[in-house]
Amino acid sequence: MTEPTFEGVLAAARRIEAHAHRTPVMSSRTLDAELGATVHLKCENLQRMGAFKFRGAFNALASLDPSRRKAGVVAFSSGNHAQAIALSASLLDMPATILMPHDAPAAKVAATRGYGGKVVVYDRYREDREQIGRALAERDGLTLIPPYDHPDVICGQGTAARELFEQAGELDALFVPLGGGGLLSGSALVRAALAPDCQLYGVEPEAGDDGQRSLRSGSIVHIDTPRTIADGAQTQHLGTLTFPIIRREVTDILTASDAELVDTMRFLAERMKLVVEPTGCLGLAAARRMGAQLRGKRVGVLLSGGNVDMARFAELLAAS
Ligand SMILES: *Cc1c(COP(=O)(O)O)cnc(C)c1O
C-alpha cells in the first residue's frame, strides 16, 4: 500500500469509470440568490447505492490482486460503506462479509443482503467489531477494507471532486462533509493539484467536532460517538492517513447543527426535488451559514449521499 496521491485519484477514476455514475452537478436560482453566489451542487446522492462511498469501495476492491479477490473481503459498518462494499464485491464477482450490529435498521441489513453481501451480526455492547473482523479476516484469508483510512479508498473518494472541477470549472470555495475524512482528504489531493487557489472546507456535525479540534490542536482528537442525525459522520476520530492530508491542505473545518441539516434537507427536497440524507447536507448547511462571505464567489458543494429511510425523512421534516 502506498500513500494516497493525485495520481492515485486519476488511476481510481479510470478503474471506476465503467461502473460508477458521473453524477450531475445541479444549481438553483433561489440558492444563488440566497447566497449572492454561484453554487454548484455535486449530486452524489444520485451515485450508485446512493452515496459517494461506492467510489472508494469499488476502487479498493478492483485494486486487489486475483488471489485476494478470490478469497473475498470483510467490512464492518451499518451504513453506506457496507452497502458500497457489498455492491462492489458483487460487481467484481467476489464474496463479501459484512459485520453489522444486532440492532442495525432492518432496511440497511436487507439492502446489504440485496447487494449480495453475507451479513454477520454482532452485539455492539458486548463485542468488539474490529476484533471480530480481524479474526474473520485471518481465519478465512479475507481482506479487511476500512471505511476511510485506506489509500485506495481515499483516492476513490477523490474522484467526486475531480469530476466536479471538470463539470463546474473554476471554484473559489469547496464544501465537503466530514466523518473520518476519506472524502475530504481525497478532495484535498484534487484541490492541491487542480485548483490550489480554491478554499477547501470540511464540515462535520456540531455534536461531533473532533475534526475541528484535531485541526486546531495539531493531533488527532478522539471523542465518544456523537449524538446527531448525521449518522454517516458519527465517527470518533480522523484517520492516521486522512489527518495529515487534511491538516496540510484544508482551509478550515466548520460545523453544522442538526436543525441546520433539517432546514437544508427541506430546501433541497422542496426547491430542487433532491432527497439528501442529513449527513449529505453538511456542506450546504455550512455554506448557507457562511452567507455574506461567499458573495460573488463560485462555490462547489458535495452532496455526499441520499440514503434516508422515507419514514425517517418525513419524521425529521415534521419535527422541525
Ligand atoms: C461516510 C459518509 C460521509 C463521511 O465520509 P468520510 O470519508 O468518513 O469523511 C459523509 N456523507 C455520507 C453520506 C457518508 O456516507
Side-chain angles (χ1 to χ4, degrees):
M1 257 190 268
T2 50
E3 285 280 300
T5 59
F6 179 65
E7 286 64 42
V9 177
L10 297 180
R14 288 191 293 273
R15 254 178 232 120
I16 70 171
E17 195 176 16
H19 302 276
H21 294 314
R22 186 178 172 91
T23 52
V25 172
M26 295 183 54
S27 59
S28 149
R29 289 184 187 192
T30 311
L31 185 58
D32 287 358
E34 178 186 320
L35 293 174
T38 317
V39 186
H40 302 273
L41 304 173
K42 176 70 170 163
C43 295
E44 286 296 294
N45 56 315
L46 303 177
Q47 185 50 264
R48 288 187 81 171
M49 60 59 60
F52 74 91
K53 289 252 177 23
F54 178 70
R55 297 173 180 271
F58 191 91
N59 186 49
L61 298 195
S63 303
L64 294 175
D65 64 44
S67 67
R68 289 224 155 238
R69 278 205 203 188
K70 200 157 163 235
V73 289
V74 58
F76 42 76
S77 157
S78 53
N80 288 334
H81 178 62
Q83 292 178 53
I85 290 287
L87 174 59
S88 302
S90 90
L91 291 170
L92 291 162
D93 234 343
M94 296 168 54
T97 302
I98 312 294
L99 278 169
M100 293 185 125
H102 66 289
D103 55 353
K108 290 203 165 156
V109 176
T112 305
R113 286 210 175 103
Y115 289 129
K118 179 179 155 210
V119 174
V120 172
V121 173
Y122 69 95
D123 183 336
R124 81 154 107 200
Y125 300 104
R126 288 170 206 208
E127 296 176 295
D128 178 350
R129 64 179 192 177
E130 301 207 16
Q131 231 165 41
I132 302 173
R134 270 180 243 295
L136 269 177
E138 223 163 273
R139 194 193 69 192
D140 299 337
L142 311 180
T143 302
L144 182 72
I145 309 286
Y148 53 85
D149 216 22
H150 185 294
D152 297 326
V153 171
I154 292 169
C155 289
Q157 315 308 32
T159 61
R162 176 179 181 245
E163 285 175 22
L164 174 58
F165 281 114
E166 278 177 2
Q167 292 164 300
E170 271 182 59
L171 296 174
D172 301 307
L174 174 60
F175 293 83
V176 179
L178 170 61
L183 185 61
L184 182 59
S185 58
S187 304
L189 297 173
V190 170
R191 188 216 57 122
L194 298 183
D197 294 332
C198 175
Q199 298 195 310
L200 176 61
Y201 297 98
V203 187
E204 59 189 353
E206 211 162 74
D209 64 347
D210 60 290
Q212 190 178 66
R213 283 157 58 191
S214 301
L215 192 68
R216 305 270 190 277
S217 70
S219 62
I220 299 173
V221 170
H222 290 242
I223 57 168
D224 289 337
T225 301
R227 281 179 192 276
T228 167
I229 60 170
D231 56 356
Q234 281 181 309
T235 37
Q236 293 174 273
H237 54 85
L238 298 177
T240 52
L241 283 175
T242 60
F243 178 62
I245 301 171
I246 289 170
R247 194 178 175 199
R248 189 174 73 228
E249 303 290 348
V250 164
T251 309
D252 201 1
I253 294 179
L254 312 170
T255 63
S257 69
D258 281 4
E260 289 172 313
L261 296 180
V262 173
D263 192 58
T264 293
M265 209 164 73
R266 169 178 288 113
F267 173 85
L268 288 166
E270 258 175 18
R271 294 302 184 129
M272 301 188 71
K273 320 306 162 196
L274 291 172
V275 174
V276 182
E277 63 186 278
T279 316
C281 293
L282 281 164
L284 184 55
R288 293 175 83 199
R289 188 198 276 190
M290 196 176 270
Q293 274 187 61
L294 294 174
R295 200 152 285 281
K297 300 219 161 125
R298 292 161 298 192
V299 178
V301 176
L302 292 184
L303 301 179
S304 53
N307 289 328
V308 52
D309 178 279
M310 278 303 107
R312 174 79 176 139
F313 187 74
E315 188 191 325
L316 288 169
L317 293 187
S320 74

